[in-house]
Amino acid sequence: MNYFKQKVLTIAGSDCSGGAGIQADLKTYTALGCYGMSVITAITAQNTTGVFDVMAVPLSTIESQLHAIFSDISNVNIIKIGMIYDKDIINLVSDILNQNEFFDKKSNKKIVLDPVMIAKSGSSLFKDDALNSLKTQLIPMSFLVTPNFDEAIAISEYSISSNEKIDENIIFQMGKKILSLGCENVLMKGGHIFFNEGDCVDYLINNNMNSPSDMISFRSKRIDTQNTHGTGCTLSSAIASFLAAGYDVSHAIEKGKEFVTNGLINAQYESIGQGHGPLNHCFGLK
Ligand SMILES: Nc1ncnc2c1ncn2[C@@H]1O[C@H](COP(=O)(O)OP(=O)(O)OP(=O)(O)O)[C@@H](O)[C@H]1O
Ligand SMILES: [Mg+2]
């Protein structure tokens, strides 16, 4: 990778315990040889057991962080968006990205949107009133949206009855619903999907796909560990890094998932904290 050429920005929340959020994103960018930058939207007090406090950064400070980057640093073409807490932040960020031509699908500018709603510990990182803005402002601008199973249900408003069997058809229907909001690709993440026996399978869906069998699947063994804090942040920032390096969407996902799997394997028996510990972003560094 060409460190100074592959510039990747994250717009997300801070996780003081270092396993998720902008800390995970910057570790991932660095481990993958990219030059990482961050715009912080919220400061959380969290650790491996829970989230204890959230403070949204004032809109004017989010705006000035974005201005500081875009007014000075050229070719910031790949942006990963993570925790983006409330509707005012979503509206502000989408307006500024629009002014910087991220709406133009034919440009080489790409947004990877990880629609963070709930932390692994179960705490909310997303205000209820933000869902509509996410759907109408940010998803239509995005190249790739990466919901986990619960986020996909919330965004697609798919209603699943308690005795319904989850299968690839349901994943496909939800993915299509999210695509209809205007993004180009949806990756339905498989950490919380359990019908694939011992495997963790993520599914890529785009508008050229007409049936569940058209979806591209990304499969790994499910690693038996509780150290899964930040898998979602890490996956989306790894995909952003590989997009910055010029990989197409499915190869970027394949390489990104491989990075997460190796990070999980290399943290499987570690213990940082007393709950869901982080994966090892730096397994490849000496
Ligand atoms: N135990 C596991 N073993 C292997 N891969 C996993 C495991 N758990 C999650 N993954 C992978 O990690 C990535 C993130 O998926 P997941 O569904 O956990 O996202 P998430 O819920 O958004 O994560 P987070 O709680 O960190 O926000 C996916 O590629 C998924 O397949
Ligand atoms: Mg997540």
Side-chain angles (χ1 to χ4, degrees), residues 12-254:
S14 164
D15 167 7
C16 60
S17 71
I22 57 150
Q23 287 80 357
D25 297 340
L26 291 175
K27 287 173 193 179
T28 301
Y29 295 162
T30 307
L32 291 174
C34 294
Y35 180 79
M37 294 162 281
S38 61
V39 165
I40 302 180
T41 58
I43 297 174
T44 72
Q46 66 175 287
N47 60 25
T48 65
T49 68
V51 179
F52 310 104
D53 196 7
V54 179
M55 187 194 78
V57 170
L59 293 178
S60 60
T61 308
I62 296 174
E63 184 171 7
S64 50
Q65 291 176 80
L66 284 162
H67 180 71
I69 290 172
F70 287 128
S71 64
D72 183 39
I73 299 170
S74 58
N75 299 323
V76 179
N77 293 331
I78 306 293
I79 299 182
K80 172 247 160 100
I81 301 178
M83 178 184 175
I84 186 147
Y85 201 45
D86 66 27
K87 71 175 182 345
D88 294 334
I89 299 177
I90 293 177
N91 293 339
L92 172 79
V93 168
S94 57
D95 279 355
I96 295 174
L97 296 187
N98 261 320
Q99 287 156 22
N100 285 276
E101 296 177 347
F102 275 86
F103 65 91
D104 181 359
K105 299 252 170 86
K106 293 197 184 67
S107 76
N108 57 354
K109 299 183 183 225
K110 292 183 171 59
I111 295 171
V112 176
L113 174 64
D114 183 23
V116 173
M117 293 183 187
I118 313 254
K120 195 130 278 161
S121 54
S123 312
S124 178
L125 297 171
F126 190 72
K127 285 206 177 152
D128 292 344
D129 68 358
L131 184 58
N132 191 47
S133 297
L134 185 87
K135 289 165 69 168
T136 57
Q137 307 286 320
L138 272 185
I139 290 181
M141 298 171 68
S142 296
F143 174 71
L144 173 67
V145 182
T146 63
N148 67 21
F149 189 62
D150 295 326
E151 291 154 356
I153 292 173
I155 297 167
S156 65
E157 291 175 36
Y158 195 94
S159 67
I160 297 182
S161 51
S162 55
N163 57 355
E164 199 168 344
K165 195 170 150 278
I166 310 300
D167 60 13
E168 290 187 355
N169 186 44
I170 290 180
I171 303 290
F172 181 72
Q173 301 303 332
M174 289 199 288
K176 276 287 191 188
K177 203 84 189 287
I178 298 171
L179 273 177
S180 73
L181 298 170
C183 57
E184 286 182 66
N185 299 279
V186 175
L187 182 70
M188 303 283 286
K189 291 182 296 193
H192 309 255
I193 297 172
F194 293 100
F195 62 79
N196 284 301
E197 311 212 322
D199 290 344
C200 251
V201 185
D202 304 350
Y203 296 91
L204 175 64
I205 305 164
N206 64 36
N207 279 317
N208 299 325
M209 297 173 178
N210 300 312
S211 73
S213 61
D214 291 338
M215 296 190 293
I216 301 175
S217 58
F218 302 88
R219 184 177 288 267
S220 68
K221 280 263 153 281
R222 183 176 291 275
I223 314 299
D224 184 16
T225 177
Q226 68 163 5
N227 296 331
T228 54
H229 182 80
T231 48
C233 301
T234 303
L235 178 69
S236 52
S237 51
I239 294 169
S241 302
F242 287 111
L243 289 173
Y247 287 83
D248 65 30
V249 65
S250 67
H251 286 105
I253 294 169
E254 187 183 327

